[in-house]
Amino acid sequence: MKKIQLGLVAVTTALLLTGCGEAKITGTPLKNVDSIAVTSAEDIDVFCPTGICTFELTASKPTTATITMHYDYTKLFTKIEGVDVIGEGGKNAKVIDDDQFKVDISDANKPVKIQVIDYYRN
C-alpha cells in the first residue's frame, strides 16, 4: 500500500513540475519576414526588411512575450507605428519602445497573427 501511495506522489509531483516549465513559443513568418528568433519564452526577435510584416506566434501555454523588431542584424525598427493582433489567442499588444512591443498570448496552441508597421519603413 505504501509503495502505491509513494508512486502516486511521485507521478503527481512529476506532472506538477512539468506544468511549471516555460511556455514554448513557435514563430511562423507570413509576409515580409526573413526570420523569427525565439530566444526565450518571453523574448522574440523578428527580422522584417520592408518595415511592414505579418507573422504568427503560437505558445504551449499562456505567456506575455516581448517582440523586438529588426530590419536586419544591424538595424532595428526606428519607430513602431502600429501593431495589430488578429485572432482569439492574443490580446493587449502594447508598444514599449521604438523597436519593441509586448503581447499577451492567452490561448495555448492557438496561433496569434500579428502585423507590425514601422513609421520610417523602407
Side-chain angles (χ1 to χ4, degrees):
M1 183 69 165
K2 285 187 179 185
K3 287 183 182 180
I4 293 173
Q5 288 174 338
L6 287 176
L8 288 174
V9 169
V11 169
T12 304
T13 303
L15 288 173
L16 289 173
L17 290 176
T18 303
C20 292
E22 274 190 352
K24 181 181 180 205
I25 296 181
T26 304
T28 305
L30 296 178
K31 185 176 180 185
N32 297 328
V33 174
D34 281 349
S35 64
I36 299 173
V38 179
T39 56
S40 74
E42 292 92 26
D43 295 304
I44 301 164
D45 292 310
V46 176
F47 296 88
C48 170
T50 63
I52 301 175
C53 58
T54 307
F55 55 95
E56 283 184 343
L57 297 177
T58 306
S60 61
K61 64 185 199 177
T63 189
T64 299
T66 300
I67 292 90
T68 304
M69 299 299 300
H70 304 259
Y71 281 102
D72 57 34
Y73 286 98
T74 61
K75 184 178 178 187
L76 294 165
F77 269 32
T78 311
K79 181 181 179 184
I80 293 176
E81 179 179 353
V83 177
D84 291 321
V85 178
I86 305 158
E88 299 172 15
K91 59 181 181 175
N92 299 331
K94 181 181 178 188
V95 176
I96 56 173
D97 203 350
D98 289 337
D99 58 0
Q100 289 185 323
F101 65 95
K102 284 185 180 264
V103 65
D104 293 332
I105 303 173
S106 57
D107 288 338
N109 295 317
K110 195 177 261 188
V112 177
K113 190 176 188 181
I114 300 171
Q115 181 181 37
V116 183
I117 300 172
D118 187 32
Y119 186 79
Y120 299 105
R121 59 193 168 273
N122 292 334

